[in-house]
Amino acid sequence: MAAEGSALLRVLCLCSVLALALPARPPNVTIGALFTFDSVIGRSARAAVDLAVADVNRDAAVLNGTHLTVFAQDTKCSGFVGTIQALQLMEKEVVAVVGPQSSGIAHVVSHVVNELHVPLISFAATDPALASGQYPYFVRAIRGDDSSQMAAVADIVTYYGWREVSVIYVDNDYGRGGVDALGDALEAKRGKVSFKAPIPPDAVAATVVDLLVQVSMMESRVCVVHVSPDSGLAIFDAARSLDMMASGYVWIATEWLAAAVDSTRPAADHRTMSLIQGVVTLRQYTPDSGAKRSLTSRFATGQRNRSAAVNAYGLSAYDAVWMAARAIDAFLDDGGNVTFSIDPRLQQEANGSSTLRLDSLRVFDQGEQLLQKVMLANFTGVTGDVRFSAATRSLVDPAYEVLNIGGTGVRRVGYWSNHSRLSVAAPTPTATARKNGTRVDEQRLYSVVWPGETTSPPRGWVFPNNGRLLRIGVPYRTTYKQFVSKDGSPDGASGYCIDVFKAAVALLPYPVPFSFILFGDGVKNPSYSDLVSKVADNYFDAAVGDVSIVTNRTRVVDFTQPYVESGLVILSPVKERSSSAWAFLKPFTLGMWAVTGAFFLFVGAVIWVLEHRFNPEFRGSPRKQIVTIFWFSFSTMFFAHRENTVSSLGRFVLLIWLFVVLIINSSYTASLTSILTVQQLSTGIQGLDGLLASADPIGYQVGSFAKSYIMQELNVPESRLRELNIDQYATSLKLGPHNGGVAAIVDELPYVDLFLSTNCQFKTVGQEFTKSGWGFAFQRDSPLAVDLSTAILTLSENGDLQRIHDKWLSPGQCASSQGTDVAADRLNLSSFWGLFLISGIACFIALLVFFTRILCQYGKYNPGADEVAEEESPVRRPEKLRSIRDLMTFVDMKEEEVKRAIRRKSSDDRRDRSIGSSAGASSFSPSTV
């Protein structure tokens, strides 16, 4: 008993020591709250904070007896007032601050809490810059910042095919940060912010109207509004007065509009809803839960204005209080003690001449430890799973609802999250999405009712109503003005390209005001690469003319659908070839002639063999039969053979051979015709390979991309190139490479076709070695390029494009010969070996069948030959020769004679067997016995 008492005493002593070692929990802990009381966000946040503090103090599992107190200060939407209120909160020795709601105030207050080591848990400050290392004590308790929100806006813009937007934003840190984030998000998707309309925070109605007038004069009809919920509705009021809420406009508001709508129930304010019909807005996504429904119900019950409701910022403020409470609880559980100390720097200021009472501010000694506990939060709140990203000090898995306002309420048309992007399915946590294999490319939204009560997505742009015409650069050509050049018309330019452009513009469903501006000095053709660069540099809005679509140009501008097929070809001089007395031998090569002649004789011999026993026309003296073979062989060339074939095998072989002869005759005739009418190249260059192999000079047109292509792609040195006007083509080609001219000219096919229509002594050689076309060049992402491409396709389908071509580029006197190839290739055996093979196989099969039949007949004709051969071994040479002569004699016999001999032989054999049978029977008769 004494031992047990001693052990119990030691345990009690140990517990007493531990109790003395661990600090006692403070009876009360104070936190602060900063927001504008009289604001859309502030009214919702104030009620949510009060409810959260009450719930924390009522929950025995949190803080374990420590009472949570909150001091709220009104920032009055002022950075200066917010700073003063933050300092007053610091005097009350708060361990954390919930708020502020403004990004601008958060920037200022963050410097204060950094020095005093007090975590700042904001539920509404969305400026992405607050996540930088400059503000280590700033924690964002809202699900997503403006970078994720603007990524959602950019995805919506891209989903509907729009490229440019006008942004209306409040001119403060919150607004500017959002615009920068939107610009980055759009740039990643080849879009851009084309116009920025900053609204001062204290702007009056007239200022808002003036800015919206500027917006209405811009090209883009997609307007993104990023302002505060307290003043944002005034923008839509002004827009409606300017008829900017009509059909054709697109209005996308960030989450401020959803907060304003949620805070005032739509049924209670019909005027508010009438201002924003057709607007698309975002709202922070919070999954439905019992806790959320309970808080919403309690919020509505506790409000004096029964039409008010909690918004997404209020839900985030509620969870922010719980973050602070849980972090304080974890801090105290680890033995943390809440202490404050004086900052020596502030003490020195207080001892000086300052009357600001800075010595009343205290540094929270355990602020860094409490901040770490806040960042380790992991619980389920009314906004969903609460977990922080260590990199951004923001909640993970930002997600939004995409809402469409119409009638007296809002309609959800989809969701956006950082892993699934736009979707009609509710967002899931990132880990779940990766496990299920969610695809980002499956973008989808339900249908939207746009302003003007239209369900078709607006085009999103119009020509700016600012009195400025579309500046179109036109090349000032000095040669071949049929394509495009200056004239005396009101437009200042005319030609094939101009007419195509005007016809395409006439098909657009909207007017396009434009003016042509000539590019070039009128002395020589301008550089088309420089013209395209002027478009890329925004000097011209577009370029219309014979502009080739090549790779390096497509990197800086957008082209329409090609309206002319083009490509580089080689132009070379030709001369008439004098006919030779032996020209008729040229169609075939020597090998082709030899094989063809041999096959004529071979087929004639085969026909003779097959017909000799059946057809009397193939019999006679040896001299006559040889003549018959030669005559029959070569007469089949002209289908003039007079001998008839009577055997089936002979007819089979002859049918195959006549088909071969028909093909050979046709090919010979075509080749001979080409040889007798073809022209001969003066330079001997027959294509691109010959041009590159030679060292002769090469010409190209002034201003053409052909020079860069020849040098960069074909590696031809610049010393070989000669710049020429089209007027100099004929002279340079006639002079030739040895007399100051060129061996050939490389130019685009449309120019060459027009040149050849009046210059018959030149031809294109080889194949077209590039494939491109002519198109109209526009600045990058210009929507007009897409619409004009559709119009050009329409012109091509209805025949107008061809009619315009025939009007300006009618064929000349040499057009009929432009397609003639200047190189006539002789026909060789490789083109016909298949035909000869078929004929040879047919002959072999026929001979095989013929001689098999002969051997069978010979066996019937002379059945004793085999027996004699077997009995007499070895056979004497004279007898073997006699057998061969007998076989040859048999082969030479007529078919009728062979058949009669075989029948007679068969009859004699039957008679002999009958006599033998009778003799045998008589030898065994009874009389004999």
Side-chain angles (χ1 to χ4, degrees):
M1 291 294 293
E4 292 177 356
S6 176
L8 180 59
L9 181 61
R10 285 196 297 272
V11 171
L12 292 174
C13 292
L14 180 60
C15 291
S16 300
V17 171
L18 290 175
L20 292 173
L22 292 175
R25 279 178 171 263
N28 185 73
V29 175
T30 303
I31 63 173
L34 278 175
F35 46 82
T36 301
F37 292 170
D38 188 19
S39 66
V40 171
I41 297 176
R43 286 188 292 270
S44 182
R46 185 170 189 178
V49 168
D50 292 341
L51 290 173
V53 171
D55 291 344
V56 168
N57 290 327
R58 194 164 43 246
D59 191 342
V62 182
L63 293 180
N64 194 17
T66 298
H67 187 268
L68 181 66
T69 303
V70 61
F71 286 109
Q73 299 284 53
D74 187 2
T75 60
K76 300 185 182 300
C77 287
S78 170
F80 174 73
V81 175
T83 304
I84 300 300
Q85 298 298 333
L87 294 175
Q88 291 181 359
L89 276 180
M90 298 302 114
E91 290 180 351
K92 296 178 174 60
E93 296 186 346
V94 296
V95 297
V97 175
V98 175
Q101 72 186 57
S102 167
S103 296
I105 297 176
H107 277 281
V108 178
V109 175
S110 291
H111 292 288
V112 177
V113 299
N114 286 351
E115 298 298 328
L116 301 180
H117 299 175
V118 177
L120 184 65
I121 307 173
S122 176
F123 56 86
T126 56
D127 185 4
L130 290 168
S132 67
Q134 184 181 2
Y135 310 109
Y137 281 86
F138 176 83
V139 178
R140 202 187 315 273
I142 190 172
R143 200 170 298 275
D145 58 11
D146 282 342
S147 60
S148 58
Q149 182 176 201
M150 293 307 179
V153 173
D155 280 346
I156 294 173
V157 171
T158 305
Y159 176 78
Y160 289 106
W162 303 316
R163 295 291 183 85
E164 298 183 9
V165 301
S166 296
V167 183
I168 304 165
Y169 64 98
V170 59
D171 194 10
N172 56 20
D173 291 335
Y174 158 72
R176 290 188 293 269
V179 172
D180 291 342
L182 178 60
D184 294 340
L186 287 174
E187 185 177 355
K189 297 179 179 296
R190 290 192 62 184
K192 66 177 181 179
V193 176
S194 59
F195 183 72
K196 298 178 182 179
I199 298 179
D202 55 351
V204 296
T207 302
V208 175
V209 170
D210 291 341
L211 285 173
L212 290 183
V213 169
Q214 297 181 38
V215 172
S216 68
M217 297 172 66
M218 296 298 109
E219 177 179 314
S220 175
R221 282 294 182 261
V222 181
C223 303
V224 177
V225 184
H226 186 58
V227 294
S228 68
D230 298 288
S231 59
L233 292 176
I235 295 174
F236 290 105
D237 193 5
R240 188 172 70 169
S241 68
L242 295 173
D243 199 27
M244 296 176 66
M245 299 300 295
S247 177
Y249 278 90
V250 177
W251 291 90
I252 303 175
T254 52
E255 57 186 343
W256 68 267
L257 182 58
V261 172
D262 291 341
S263 298
T264 303
R265 294 183 183 271
D269 192 350
H270 296 290
R271 182 181 182 278
T272 298
M273 299 304 296
S274 67
L275 295 176
I276 53 178
Q277 293 295 301
V279 177
V280 174
T281 185
L282 300 176
R283 178 168 62 196
Q284 296 174 53
Y285 170 70
T286 55
D288 192 22
S289 64
K292 177 182 175 181
R293 289 192 295 271
S294 174
L295 178 63
T296 303
S297 177
R298 291 165 55 202
F299 182 92
T301 303
Q303 293 298 305
R304 294 180 181 179
N305 182 8
R306 297 291 180 176
S307 66
V310 65
N311 55 40
Y313 294 108
L315 298 178
S316 297
Y318 182 88
D319 277 352
V321 174
W322 274 95
M323 291 178 201
R326 290 178 181 274
I328 294 171
D329 184 53
F331 169 72
L332 295 177
D333 284 345
D334 288 348
N337 190 20
V338 179
T339 61
F340 294 85
S341 61
I342 298 175
D343 189 334
R345 294 172 298 175
L346 297 179
Q347 185 68 30
Q348 292 175 3
E349 290 292 331
N351 293 335
S353 58
S354 176
T355 59
L356 295 178
R357 295 178 55 201
L358 296 178
D359 57 336
S360 62
L361 301 177
R362 297 290 187 268
V363 177
F364 180 25
D365 297 329
Q366 293 79 28
E368 185 174 355
Q369 292 89 329
L370 181 61
L371 176 63
Q372 294 175 357
K373 296 299 180 183
V374 172
M375 297 303 300
L376 294 175
N378 189 358
F379 67 96
T380 302
V382 295
T383 61
D385 293 336
V386 178
R387 288 181 295 110
F388 282 97
S389 169
T392 61
R393 298 192 301 280
S394 301
L395 294 177
V396 297
D397 297 332
Y400 298 92
E401 296 176 85
V402 183
L403 307 177
N404 180 213
I405 299 176
T408 59
V410 297
R411 182 173 64 93
R412 183 172 56 230
V413 296
Y415 301 89
W416 182 93
S417 67
N418 62 335
H419 55 80
S420 64
R421 317 306 285 186
L422 295 177
S423 174
V424 294
T428 56
T430 302
T432 305
R434 290 174 180 171
K435 182 178 179 181
N436 296 336
T438 303
R439 293 179 58 184
V440 177
D441 57 348
E442 296 176 350
Q443 304 286 284
R444 185 188 171 196
L445 291 176
Y446 291 122
S447 62
V448 172
V449 179
W450 303 99
E453 298 183 356
T454 63
T455 56
S456 299
R459 191 171 64 246
W461 68 277
V462 295
F463 278 96
N465 187 21
N466 54 13
R468 189 177 75 87
L469 301 177
L470 200 67
R471 293 171 52 87
I472 297 179
V474 175
Y476 190 175
R477 290 191 61 88
T478 59
T479 56
Y480 282 4
K481 299 181 180 181
Q482 297 97 317
F483 292 109
V484 58
S485 191
K486 177 183 179 181
D487 73 348
S489 66
D491 291 330
S494 64
Y496 169 66
C497 303
I498 299 297
D499 281 4
V500 172
F501 177 75
K502 290 181 179 179
V505 168
L507 294 177
L508 298 180
Y510 48 84
V512 180
F514 60 84
S515 65
F516 292 131
I517 301 174
L518 294 173
F519 178 75
D521 55 11
V523 177
K524 66 177 183 178
N525 293 336
S527 170
Y528 284 73
S529 295
D530 292 345
L531 175 60
V532 172
S533 298
K534 291 288 186 179
V535 176
D537 295 339
N538 202 25
Y539 182 82
F540 291 130
D541 297 310
V544 171
D546 46 339
V547 182
S548 298
I549 304 173
V550 293
T551 303
N552 61 337
R553 294 174 183 173
T554 58
R555 297 190 180 103
V556 295
V557 297
D558 285 345
F559 281 94
T560 63
Q561 170 81 13
Y563 60 90
V564 171
E565 294 297 327
S566 181
L568 293 178
V569 294
I570 300 173
L571 182 65
S572 180
V574 293
K575 62 182 179 181
E576 295 293 336
R577 172 186 292 173
S578 57
S579 298
S580 169
W582 303 98
F584 66 92
L585 296 176
K586 294 292 182 68
F588 289 166
T589 60
L590 180 61
M592 182 65 181
W593 278 118
V595 172
T596 302
F599 252 85
F600 271 108
L601 293 175
F602 172 69
V603 172
V606 170
I607 295 295
W608 176 84
V609 171
L610 298 176
E611 293 290 320
H612 179 68
R613 304 187 69 198
F614 299 91
N615 195 339
E617 295 182 357
F618 287 86
R619 301 183 65 84
S621 63
R623 178 177 175 278
K624 178 183 178 182
Q625 294 184 51
I626 293 174
V627 172
T628 300
I629 292 175
F630 276 89
W631 164 254
F632 182 85
S633 298
F634 291 101
S635 64
T636 56
M637 180 186 299
F638 312 103
F639 305 98
H641 51 283
R642 66 171 182 266
E643 295 81 6
N644 295 321
T645 53
V646 297
S647 68
S648 300
L649 293 177
R651 291 175 177 177
F652 168 70
V653 171
L654 183 61
L655 179 65
I656 300 297
W657 176 243
L658 290 178
F659 173 74
V660 174
V661 170
L662 175 65
I663 301 299
I664 293 176
N665 278 344
S666 301
S667 302
Y668 175 86
T669 302
S671 181
L672 181 61
T673 302
S674 176
I675 289 175
L676 294 177
T677 58
V678 79
Q679 294 170 315
Q680 185 179 19
L681 293 172
S682 299
T683 60
I685 295 175
Q686 297 186 359
L688 181 61
D689 293 338
L691 182 66
L692 299 178
S694 70
D696 296 331
I698 303 170
Y700 67 91
Q701 185 182 173
V702 176
S704 173
F705 76 96
K707 176 182 179 181
S708 60
Y709 181 87
I710 296 172
M711 293 177 58
Q712 297 172 11
E713 302 298 330
L714 303 181
N715 298 318
V716 175
E718 188 175 4
S719 59
R720 288 185 59 190
L721 302 183
R722 303 290 186 270
E723 186 179 69
L724 303 172
N725 282 319
I726 294 182
D727 295 341
Q728 299 173 313
Y729 279 13
T731 303
S732 298
L733 289 172
K734 288 178 180 178
L735 288 175
H738 305 296
N739 298 313
V742 294
I745 292 174
V746 176
D747 203 353
E748 295 179 71
L749 184 59
Y751 302 122
V752 173
D753 283 343
L754 193 58
F755 174 78
L756 293 179
S757 66
T758 55
N759 293 272
C760 305
Q761 67 273 35
F762 307 102
K763 295 293 178 184
T764 58
V765 296
Q767 300 296 320
E768 186 177 348
F769 56 91
T770 65
K771 290 292 184 181
S772 62
W774 291 353
F776 304 133
F778 289 85
Q779 295 176 9
R780 293 299 297 271
D781 304 323
S782 172
L784 190 58
V786 178
D787 289 351
L788 276 180
S789 294
T790 304
I792 290 172
L793 290 176
T794 303
L795 290 176
S796 177
E797 292 170 358
N798 62 22
D800 288 344
L801 196 60
Q802 184 62 43
R803 282 189 286 272
I804 298 173
H805 179 276
D806 294 342
K807 170 187 173 183
W808 289 96
L809 309 174
S810 57
Q813 57 184 356
C814 302
S816 60
S817 62
Q818 287 182 20
T820 303
D821 188 4
V822 298
D825 294 330
R826 302 177 70 187
L827 301 175
N828 51 47
L829 186 60
S830 62
S831 302
F832 298 93
W833 70 268
L835 290 174
F836 289 125
L837 178 64
I838 293 173
S839 180
I841 292 175
C843 292
F844 173 76
I845 293 174
L847 291 175
L848 181 64
V849 172
F850 175 79
F851 283 112
T852 301
R853 183 170 176 272
I854 288 294
L855 291 176
C856 291
Q857 288 180 341
Y858 185 68
K860 295 178 182 179
Y861 176 77
N862 189 17
D866 295 337
E867 298 176 0
V868 173
E870 292 175 359
E871 293 175 357
E872 300 179 2
S873 180
V875 180
R876 289 176 298 179
R877 185 175 185 84
E879 293 180 354
K880 180 182 286 188
L881 292 174
R882 186 172 61 250
S883 298
I884 295 174
R885 285 196 300 270
D886 291 343
L887 178 60
M888 296 299 296
T889 302
F890 176 77
V891 172
D892 189 55
M893 293 175 61
K894 294 183 179 180
E895 183 71 14
E896 292 297 330
E897 295 176 358
V898 171
K899 290 182 178 179
R900 285 196 301 269
I902 292 175
R903 284 196 299 269
R904 185 171 57 251
K905 184 76 173 178
S906 177
S907 177
D908 293 344
D909 290 343
R910 284 195 302 271
R911 186 174 60 254
D912 292 343
R913 284 194 298 270
S914 176
I915 295 172
S917 299
S918 300
S922 62
S923 63
F924 290 98
S925 64
S927 59
T928 306
V929 177

